[in-house]
Amino acid sequence: MVPNDDKISQFQVALIVFLTPIGVGIFTLPSTLAKDVETNGWLSLILGGLVCLLEIYFICCIAKKYSPAKFTDVLKQLFGKFLGTIFAVIIFIYFLIFSALEVRLFAETTKMYLLYKTPLEYIIIPFLFLGIILARCGIEPIARFFEAVIYLVAITFILVFLLYLPKSDYSNLLPVLRIHPLKLLKGVEDSFFSFSGFEVLLLLFPFMRDSKKSFKVSAISIMLITFIYVVIFVQCIARFGVDYTKTLLYPTLSLIKSSDVPGAFIEGIEGLLFSLWIVLIFTTLAMFIFAYSVIAGDLLKQKEAKHIVILFLPAVYIVSLLPDNIASTFELVDKLIKSLGYFVILILPTLMFIVSKIKGERA
């Protein structure tokens, strides 16, 4: 059973669902969508957000039926001990690999823009240790950290929105809805996976004080993420145009650096926002480390998952150094998200929902 002092409120659940998906993808998403659907990326983001809402609905329906059972126990109840264990191992591998790739992308971006001459290892190791320290404390301290940073995140996003709203050429967003349906589906696919991170909700129900309103608060979080993504995409296209946005590695960073804000006290606004982005990456990393430690602890039948976090640290570190460069890292992320990601984020929650309904009717 989960300790009584390691429970989270519905507000904290909303913060976890909101802050976990926003990471490296927020920098690259406008370029990806511009290549796939050009000016219609905003529509793909909205449709991708709706697919996320459907998957969250499936997850919450499953949780209402089986809560407060642990996620691995629910898998075994639905699919049997053998198949349920295999699914749990796949999800463990998913969170472990993406913990590694998240920290590698963070290190590459930090090296590119801030610490030019610093070896990647010296960026990865301290960041990993910080994530492990927070993950070892449990879900309640993680949620409290999320509470501490959310106001800074909200104020910064509002500031950026107000800065760029009057300075953009929105005619760059034309033409609207002139796109082939297959291209739109490709954009929806990319948009959907830009929300990846909400799947940690699968593991949170045993830790909730009250899971009855979990869908409502999670849906609000996904709608807020969708709004933020749409604003960022629209501002990038309005400022740079489609063709130039396609060529940028990090359009969001380029948008920030293109600002011309009067007043010397915020001339280095890109440094301020980059610092905020580091916090956002840290929230994602801490939750992914916590997620794989919970699953591994359940599979190994450990009451405490604290030592599990450290046990798999070498594996996370080694995987983070496997790609040769940032291009190889993005290529590996793309391959994994379209293999493991499809299963964990899209197929498994849908399959669990269907099987739970079938078993419910037979009972």
Side-chain angles (χ1 to χ4, degrees), residues 163-174:
L163 284 176
Y164 291 105
L165 186 63
K167 297 182 180 181
S168 303
D169 182 7
Y170 294 99
S171 64
N172 288 334
L173 293 165
L174 300 174

Side-chain angles (χ1 to χ4, degrees), residues 303-337:
K303 293 182 179 180
E304 294 288 340
K306 292 182 178 180
H307 60 286
I308 299 293
V309 175
I310 299 176
L311 180 64
F312 290 97
L313 173 60
V316 175
Y317 177 70
I318 292 170
V319 172
S320 72
L321 294 177
L322 287 180
D324 295 327
N325 49 47
I326 191 168
S328 300
T329 308
F330 275 118
E331 184 180 350
L332 183 58
V333 169
D334 188 58
K335 288 180 179 178
L336 287 171
I337 202 73

Side-chain angles (χ1 to χ4, degrees), residues 53-206:
L53 288 178
L54 179 62
E55 294 302 313
I56 286 176
Y57 173 75
F58 291 160
I59 293 171
C60 292
C61 287
I62 297 163
K64 285 181 181 178
K65 186 173 182 179
Y66 294 97
S67 183
K70 294 179 180 179
F71 176 61
T72 51
D73 292 336
V74 175
L75 287 176
K76 291 173 183 178
Q77 288 183 51
L78 290 174
F79 304 108
K81 186 176 181 179
F82 177 73
L83 197 57
T85 301
I86 291 177
F87 287 166
V89 170
I90 292 172
I91 298 169
F92 163 76
I93 293 172
Y94 167 84
F95 281 119
L96 188 145
I97 291 177
F98 275 96
S99 296
L101 295 180
E102 192 82 9
V103 76
R104 174 61 184 270
L105 288 173
F106 160 78
E108 291 279 7
T109 307
T110 302
K111 183 178 176 67
M112 186 183 302
Y113 287 96
L114 290 179
L115 307 174
Y116 315 106
K117 298 181 180 180
T118 306
L120 285 174
E121 294 84 350
Y122 294 125
I123 302 174
I124 290 173
I125 291 173
F127 199 65
L128 262 180
F129 271 106
L130 286 174
I132 285 170
I133 289 170
L134 181 58
R136 287 188 79 251
C137 295
I139 189 63
E140 203 265 345
I142 293 175
R144 288 187 179 274
F145 176 78
F146 281 35
E147 283 183 308
V149 303
I150 185 60
Y151 300 105
L152 177 62
V153 172
I155 292 170
T156 307
F157 274 127
I158 293 171
L159 173 64
V160 171
F161 178 73
L162 294 176
L163 284 176
Y164 291 105
L165 186 63
K167 297 182 180 181
S168 303
D169 182 7
Y170 294 99
S171 64
N172 288 334
L173 293 165
L174 300 174
V176 177
L177 300 180
R178 191 180 298 174
I179 183 173
H180 193 278
L182 292 179
K183 283 190 173 182
L184 182 61
L185 286 176
K186 172 62 175 169
V188 172
E189 177 188 49
D190 292 331
S191 300
F192 173 72
F193 287 116
S194 69
F195 293 88
S196 61
F198 75 86
E199 64 274 12
V200 297
L201 189 62
L202 287 164
L203 309 172
L204 294 183
F205 289 97

Side-chain angles (χ1 to χ4, degrees), residues 257-283:
K257 294 181 73 173
S258 70
S259 64
D260 182 19
V261 184
F265 69 100
I266 50 173
E267 281 184 356
I269 189 170
E270 68 272 11
L272 173 65
L273 293 177
F274 199 91
S275 300
L276 174 66
W277 174 77
I278 291 174
V279 174
L280 292 174
I281 289 289
F282 183 69
T283 59

